[in-house]
Amino acid sequence: QVQLVESGGGLVQAGGSLTLSCAASGSTFRINRMGWYRQAPGKQRELVAVIISGDSTDYADSVKGRFTISRSNAKNTVYLQMNSLKPEDTAVYYCNAKTKPPTIYDYWGQGTQVTVSS
């Protein structure tokens, strides 16, 4: 089992910055990939950024150049630095951890609200 706890959400004006954190505990040695997803009201959950073992990263086109995902292996924590925030970034942000094959499990945090005012 893996437990994920997010923090760092809040209210910010357009153009501002926020940093989200996701601390993993439990069987963290099984984690192969961690990422951030978001879900806005009335919309499907979408991938924002992902970091894979070896520090390979990928981003949604809508956040490239503005968001940066990183991690601290020592702290079992992944971060999402969000700059130049836009009102359309408003959503609940969820941390996700995916375990290594052959049996892949998905774990989710409780979500943290990010609201960007115009």
Side-chain angles (χ1 to χ4, degrees), residues 22-117:
C22 174
S25 61
S27 301
T28 58
F29 63 93
R30 299 193 61 211
I31 296 174
N32 181 49
R33 163 183 147 155
M34 293 189 73
W36 289 93
Y37 289 71
R38 67 187 181 187
Q39 187 166 18
K43 295 188 177 181
Q44 289 189 328
R45 191 173 297 189
E46 62 175 0
L47 176 67
V48 176
V50 62
I51 187 164
I52 305 169
S53 296
D55 291 336
S56 173
T57 60
D58 197 14
Y59 298 89
D61 288 342
S62 59
V63 307
K64 282 181 180 177
R66 300 188 297 123
F67 291 10
T68 302
I69 189 170
S70 62
R71 69 181 177 190
S72 166
N73 290 328
K75 297 181 180 179
N76 289 319
T77 300
V78 65
Y79 305 95
L80 185 68
Q81 174 67 43
M82 305 185 292
N83 298 326
S84 302
L85 282 161
K86 304 175 181 180
E88 50 263 44
D89 294 318
T90 296
V92 178
Y93 283 69
Y94 296 92
C95 180
N96 169 265
K98 197 178 295 288
T99 59
K100 303 171 185 175
T103 304
I104 299 173
Y105 291 105
D106 268 305
Y107 296 95
W108 295 92
Q110 79 283 2
T112 185
Q113 177 70 46
V114 172
T115 303
V116 184
S117 63

Side-chain angles (χ1 to χ4, degrees), residues 2-31:
V2 173
Q3 295 78 41
L4 303 173
V5 178
E6 301 121 333
S7 61
L11 173 65
V12 64
Q13 288 188 333
S17 299
L18 279 176
T19 301
L20 305 183
S21 300
C22 174
S25 61
S27 301
T28 58
F29 63 93
R30 299 193 61 211
I31 296 174

